Amino acid sequence: QVQLVESGGGSVQAGGSLRLSCAYSGSSDRMGWLRQAPGKEREGVAGIGYSGTTIYSDSVKGRFTISQDSAKNTLFLMMTSLKPEDTGLYYCAAGVGGNSATLWSSRYKYWGQGTQVTVSS
């Protein structure tokens, strides 16, 4: 069983930055950040595998960075150059089985409650 609690969301103007944090308990083989905008399906934003490999969606590549502090059981998402289209509810997720980073929501078994990110133009 993995428990996840996100924090760090908020409102920011376009071009600004935010850092999301996810405090977790339990062990997993992969972790990731996914988001859901109003009226849209949930989409993977960034993932990190057991060995530390990372993967990003094309829409955030070069702007977002996923990292993990295993000693503190915390997952981060550093978001820079934010755009209005980055607005959404951001979820931290964890998966078991296999060790590859992934953006597919179906590969994640455990989910946090989400933290809202709003980017205004």
Side-chain angles (χ1 to χ4, degrees):
Q1 188 79 13
V2 179
Q3 294 183 326
L4 307 149
V5 179
E6 304 97 334
S7 62
S11 297
V12 64
Q13 289 192 329
S17 301
L18 281 175
R19 189 178 78 159
L20 305 183
S21 299
C22 173
Y24 60 86
S25 61
S27 61
S28 62
D29 298 310
R30 71 180 68 84
M31 298 193 73
W33 290 95
L34 301 94
R35 69 187 180 191
Q36 187 164 21
K40 294 188 177 181
E41 293 186 356
R42 192 175 298 182
E43 63 169 343
V45 173
I48 186 166
Y50 185 79
S51 60
T53 57
T54 57
I55 187 171
Y56 297 92
S57 68
D58 288 343
S59 62
V60 308
K61 198 172 295 181
R63 300 188 296 121
F64 290 11
T65 303
I66 187 171
S67 61
Q68 186 173 15
D69 185 337
S70 298
K72 297 183 177 180
N73 281 10
T74 305
L75 182 74
F76 300 101
L77 184 69
M78 184 68 208
M79 306 184 294
T80 63
S81 301
L82 283 161
K83 304 175 181 180
E85 50 264 43
D86 293 319
T87 294
L89 189 60
Y90 282 69
Y91 297 92
C92 173
V96 294
N99 57 12
S100 299
T102 183
L103 299 178
W104 292 101
S105 60
S106 60
R107 299 302 306 278
Y108 292 103
K109 181 176 181 180
Y110 304 100
W111 296 80
Q113 294 300 307
T115 185
Q116 179 69 35
V117 172
T118 302
V119 184
S120 57
S121 57

